[in-house]
Amino acid sequence: SDWSSDVCSSDLQVKVTYWLTDANELTWEADATTDKPTIVNLVQHTYWNLSGDQSRPVTDHRLMLAADAYLPTDYGLIPTGQLAPVASTPMDFRTPTAIGTRINTHFDALKLGGGYDHCWVLDGSPGIRLAARVTDPASGRIMEILTDQPGVQFYCGNFLDGTASGKKGVKIGFRTGLCLETEGFPDAPNHPDFPNAVLRPGQTYRHTMVVRFKN
């Protein structure tokens, strides 16, 4: 049946918990319940720059994404419903690659997004598993992202333009921060083959993301 026929205004109760572990990990967990069917896909949207210099682009960071496919988008950056293989494309980060290496490649997905701003499809293993690893070669800092979600949105700051400021008033410029948002697939209710995004009464939505730091 059409998902829109039974999804309506609801009382959605959400709890978000952050905690630090002795293993140098930051864990983010979102829980939600509802009294009526509700579309739920909560994400954590931190910008990262492992260099420690907010004015320095992240294009020299090396990225690994544990994904064999990604979700192509239309001109409005909404997924088309396809799962496209990353092999032999600039979307392939299965081995660590500098973000800037292929970002200006003549490739439809990159032209539409102005760079990387897509959901990568993680393997279907249950439970928390590795989604991404980022390394800053200059500092040696390493960040790993683990999650229980089916996808991760990688955004490399294509629309940052210096209008926002970070610590000590430093302007946040073009591609000086990256996001790795673990998530359900965007626009899932409009694509029957995507993982379900409707939370129903009696169910509990839970999303766990672990950020692990190494050096």
Side-chain angles (χ1 to χ4, degrees), residues 52 54-55 164-172:
Q54 297 174 80
S55 65
S165 299
K167 292 181 178 179
K168 300 181 180 179
V170 176
K171 298 295 183 182
I172 307 301

Side-chain angles (χ1 to χ4, degrees), residues 145-185:
I145 304 288
L146 299 89
T147 189
D148 55 5
Q149 296 297 294
V152 58
Q153 186 88 11
F154 165 47
Y155 170 58
C156 66
N158 308 313
F159 303 110
L160 298 176
D161 59 5
T163 56
S165 299
K167 292 181 178 179
K168 300 181 180 179
V170 176
K171 298 295 183 182
I172 307 301
F174 181 60
R175 292 181 179 160
T176 56
L178 66 89
C179 298
L180 289 162
E181 303 167 287
T182 60
E183 61 182 0
F185 292 176

Side-chain angles (χ1 to χ4, degrees), residues 13 27 46 48 62 67 85-86 90 119 149 171 181 188 199 209:
Q13 298 291 322
T27 297
T46 296
W48 303 99
R62 294 178 64 81
V86 301
C119 179
Q149 296 297 294
K171 298 295 183 182
E181 303 167 287
L199 178 68
M209 183 181 75

Side-chain angles (χ1 to χ4, degrees), residues 12 32-35 37-38 196-206:
L12 183 70
T33 57
T34 184
D35 64 342
T38 308
N196 175 60
V198 178
L199 178 68
R200 299 186 181 278
Q203 299 176 336
T204 298
Y205 168 93
R206 175 162 291 170

Side-chain angles (χ1 to χ4, degrees), residues 86-201:
V86 301
S88 302
T89 78
M91 313 301 277
D92 190 352
F93 286 94
R94 290 175 296 178
T95 58
T97 304
I99 291 168
T101 299
R102 300 168 299 192
I103 201 168
N104 295 316
T105 302
H106 186 74
F107 187 70
D108 283 348
L110 295 177
K111 289 190 294 181
L112 290 172
Y116 296 109
D117 189 7
H118 301 79
C119 179
W120 270 256
V121 179
L122 302 174
D123 70 64
S125 300
I128 296 175
R129 74 279 195 212
L130 182 68
R133 181 182 295 110
V134 184
T135 303
D136 173 39
S139 67
R141 295 188 183 101
I142 300 170
M143 180 179 73
E144 294 180 339
I145 304 288
L146 299 89
T147 189
D148 55 5
Q149 296 297 294
V152 58
Q153 186 88 11
F154 165 47
Y155 170 58
C156 66
N158 308 313
F159 303 110
L160 298 176
D161 59 5
T163 56
S165 299
K167 292 181 178 179
K168 300 181 180 179
V170 176
K171 298 295 183 182
I172 307 301
F174 181 60
R175 292 181 179 160
T176 56
L178 66 89
C179 298
L180 289 162
E181 303 167 287
T182 60
E183 61 182 0
F185 292 176
D187 202 35
N190 293 313
H191 303 289
D193 293 335
F194 283 7
N196 175 60
V198 178
L199 178 68
R200 299 186 181 278

